[in-house]
Amino acid sequence: MFDYTATYTDQYQITMSQVYFHKGLKDETAIFDYFFRKLPFDGGYAVFAGLEDLLEVVENLRFDEKDLELLEDEGMDQEFLDYLEDFRFNGNIYACKEGDVIFPNRPVISVEASIIEAQLLETLILNTLNYQSLIATKASRMRLSAGDRQLVDFGLRRAPGLGGYSASRAAVIGGFDATSNVRSGRDYNMPISGTMAHSFVQRYDEEIESFRDFAEIRPHDCVLLVDTYDTLKSGVPNAITVAKEMEERGEKLKGIRLDSGDLAWLAKESRRMLDEAGLEYVKIAASNQIDEHVIKSLINQNAPIDLFGVGTSLVTGRPDSALDGVYKLSYANGEPRLKLSETVSKINLPGKKQVYRLFNEDGSFYGGEVVALDGESDIDMMYHPTDPKKTRNLSEFQKEPLLEKVVEDGERLTESRSVQEITEFSRKQLSRLPGEFKRFENPHIYKIGLSGKLKDQRDTLVEHHKSKV
């Protein structure tokens, strides 16, 4: 993993902390909530990813010698630098389970700590969770399109710098089967998959010789790229010849890959040629600007494609590029806090809170959650956040709290979960979400409501602050 230190942050986090320190506020308890305001890709849900990485970094977050030298050069005083030298996160973190489906305008993570400790986590939290959740959500949509066909992450070369490292992890959490990213595969114990590049074929005077050499050295995992020159007149015929030669040695060609042209038509013609040659077992992989909509179109055209390699659209989160997660103060100086906005939906929810998911009798998600003050019980009504006329009686629903304490006094409480465990949990959670929230066009809106006490607290604070303006 990238070597994180506490200067992996924005400069203003440290300057604000310097003020808190010198004004005697360093031990004041604060609560910040991480949430996002809009679902990506005009979808009906998002997939939460990045928590395990975040907790590992937070547990070991320090200002090292180079950090302190830099901050001294930036004009930080020695007394504050001495404080930073001993910095450790000693607070509490409450979080949803990684891999769960998440929705806008309700806490996904809450940090309860001294105001400096909580403030210094802001950029790290946003950087880690916004990107990984975006990519996991994109991957999940591709999994919905692909059904039981294989998905492989090919995105490292197109990823934003070191983002490709975590993108591969998030892709597998979202439902991908493997990654071409060797380092991520090593560190996260994820399956690695790859074929060959056009340059390999171009290096040889004859295409078939490149295929033969590749098959000789990698007979156990041989996938041949067949579109370097002419897919149907050269690539596929040469692949068939090599496949027959492999059979004579007691080996089997694993597959061919199409990387350009009319993928649906080429896949059908390639499948026909392979089958006529008695090579029904040879799989067809496709790459080249694949996304969930292309996958869906190819499947609707009955393209006989067994594996999709996805790069750019996955790791860039095309077309949204970013999840608009925010980190807002909700409690400080012994009182609930909020930020006013002329847009009512942008007024954050004050105080320490819990989120409850609502379930139908069969265990499926109702399609709604209620945000309540921490410690509230017997929540029988849910109120629309911005329309006071809309309410919902909750007596018929089962409720489950979603925020669990994962860090207490700086010590992690929960066992580390592997990518495979998170992926399986995410798959199960998504299966409980009704289909109308998973469709790509005009998905249902998942309801996020407030308990009566939280709504009253928010409204009272709004009126209080407006009266002072």
Side-chain angles (χ1 to χ4, degrees):
M1 180 180 287
F2 177 78
D3 184 20
Y4 291 89
T5 68
T7 51
Y8 190 77
T9 189
D10 292 302
Q11 195 254 11
Y12 79 109
Q13 311 289 8
I14 299 175
T15 58
M16 289 188 294
S17 297
Q18 185 183 27
V19 175
Y20 289 142
F21 176 80
H22 285 294
K23 291 300 180 180
L25 304 177
K26 67 181 178 66
D27 296 321
E28 177 182 292
T29 297
I31 297 175
F32 285 80
D33 297 323
Y34 166 76
F35 60 97
F36 64 98
R37 294 193 174 109
K38 180 181 179 295
L39 286 164
F41 318 120
D42 294 324
Y45 70 94
V47 174
F48 179 36
L51 179 63
E52 287 290 338
D53 279 358
L54 174 68
L55 295 181
E56 181 178 341
V57 174
V58 169
E59 195 171 25
N60 301 288
L61 198 63
R62 306 286 187 271
F63 287 91
D64 67 15
E65 186 177 343
K66 284 186 177 181
D67 294 331
L68 297 172
E69 290 174 357
L70 170 68
L71 295 177
E72 184 178 13
D73 290 342
E74 290 293 315
M76 299 289 175
D77 62 276
Q78 191 58 51
E79 187 180 3
F80 181 56
L81 292 174
D82 290 342
Y83 167 79
L84 294 183
E85 186 175 10
D86 296 328
F87 173 83
R88 305 289 186 274
F89 180 78
N90 296 301
N92 305 326
I93 298 178
Y94 302 81
C96 299
K97 286 187 177 179
E98 186 170 9
D100 204 355
V101 287
I102 53 175
F103 304 93
N105 299 312
R106 56 85 152 170
V108 177
I109 279 186
S110 289
V111 176
E112 180 183 37
S114 73
I115 195 163
I116 293 179
E117 291 175 17
Q119 190 71 67
L120 288 176
L121 293 193
E122 176 176 7
T123 300
L124 177 64
I125 286 174
L126 293 174
N127 176 261
T128 304
L129 303 184
N130 280 346
Y131 184 62
Q132 288 204 39
S133 297
L134 178 80
I135 303 309
T137 305
K138 187 71 172 177
S140 175
R141 289 164 60 85
M142 294 181 195
R143 170 50 63 200
L144 288 176
S145 288
D148 60 359
R149 294 165 178 81
Q150 286 193 302
L151 292 170
V152 178
D153 156 42
F154 282 1
L156 180 58
R157 68 187 61 189
R158 302 291 175 82
L162 288 173
Y165 179 79
S166 55
S168 298
R169 176 185 187 274
V172 172
I173 288 173
F176 272 50
D177 298 287
T179 178
S180 67
N181 186 335
V182 179
R183 181 58 183 269
S184 289
R186 185 201 78 171
D187 290 354
Y188 293 114
N189 192 29
M190 301 184 305
I192 301 169
S193 178
T195 59
M196 61 170 63
H198 292 110
S199 60
F200 181 83
V201 180
Q202 292 172 271
R203 159 61 183 78
Y204 290 76
D205 293 334
E206 298 294 336
E207 180 182 57
I208 194 167
E209 294 306 318
S210 70
F211 289 179
R212 283 177 172 145
D213 279 4
F214 198 85
E216 178 188 348
I217 302 301
R218 295 190 58 82
H220 62 288
D221 187 26
C222 184
V223 179
L224 303 175
L225 182 58
V226 296
D227 73 332
T228 303
Y229 302 116
D230 189 301
T231 301
L232 300 181
K233 292 181 179 179
S234 173
V236 175
N238 283 333
I240 289 172
T241 298
V242 171
K244 290 298 184 180
E245 294 171 355
M246 293 178 72
E247 286 184 338
E248 292 175 1
R249 301 193 297 267
E251 302 162 352
K252 284 188 175 182
L253 176 64
K254 184 175 182 179
I256 63 170
R257 178 161 71 95
L258 306 170
D259 190 52
S260 60
D262 186 334
L263 294 178
W265 178 70
L266 289 172
K268 290 176 182 178
E269 289 300 300
S270 297
R271 183 76 272 159
R272 178 185 60 78
M273 295 168 68
L274 290 167
D275 291 351
E276 287 176 355
L279 300 171
E280 294 87 356
Y281 59 84
V282 175
K283 304 296 185 183
I284 297 177
S287 49
N288 186 34
Q289 302 303 316
I290 302 287
D291 65 11
E292 64 267 45
H293 302 290
V294 172
I295 293 171
K296 192 172 184 180
S297 173
L298 289 169
I299 291 174
N300 287 341
Q301 295 174 69
N302 297 313
I305 296 171
D306 304 289
L307 180 150
F308 295 98
V310 188
T312 305
S313 65
L314 172 67
V315 297
T316 62
R318 184 184 290 170
D320 281 8
S321 302
L323 184 70
D324 67 339
V326 294
Y327 186 77
K328 296 297 182 183
L329 181 70
S330 63
Y331 180 92
N333 194 26
E335 297 180 353
R337 302 280 166 165
L338 59 71
K339 174 187 176 297
L340 278 184
S341 173
E342 293 182 2
T343 304
V344 178
S345 62
K346 285 195 171 184
I347 298 175
N348 70 294
L349 300 175
K352 186 175 181 178
K353 298 169 289 294
Q354 179 59 271
V355 181
Y356 294 90
R357 178 165 289 158
L358 307 176
F359 293 87
N360 297 313
E361 289 185 0
D362 63 0
S364 63
F365 298 169
Y366 156 67
E369 294 167 1
V370 58
V371 188
L373 292 174
D374 183 61
E376 270 196 82
S377 57
D378 301 323
I379 306 165
D380 294 327
M381 293 293 294
M382 180 169 79
Y383 297 84
H384 192 282
T386 59
D387 188 342
K389 298 189 290 295
K390 293 183 179 180
T391 61
R392 184 71 167 89
N393 189 298
L394 303 182
S395 57
E396 65 185 279
F397 298 108
Q398 302 173 43
K399 305 180 191 71
E400 177 184 287
L402 299 181
L403 298 176
E404 63 174 334
K405 184 183 283 188
V406 294
V407 174
E408 182 176 43
D409 299 331
E411 298 293 327
R412 182 163 180 177
L413 299 178
T414 54
E415 292 290 329
S416 178
R417 297 161 71 214
S418 69
V419 170
Q420 290 73 23
E421 289 173 321
I422 296 167
T423 300
E424 179 59 21
F425 172 73
S426 185
R427 185 192 65 78
K428 289 180 179 178
Q429 292 299 89
L430 198 59
S431 73
R432 302 171 75 184
L433 181 68
E436 55 266 26
F437 297 97
K438 293 182 279 193
R439 64 193 183 208
F440 293 170
E441 295 181 0
N442 302 313
H444 276 202
I445 297 174
Y446 199 91
K447 300 176 179 66
I448 301 294
L450 311 181
S451 71
K453 289 184 179 179
L454 177 57
K455 179 180 179 298
D456 289 344
Q457 178 170 276
R458 183 200 63 179
D459 293 348
T460 298
L461 280 172
V462 169
E463 290 305 315
H464 171 72
H465 288 295
K466 283 184 175 179
S467 68
K468 297 195 301 182
V469 175

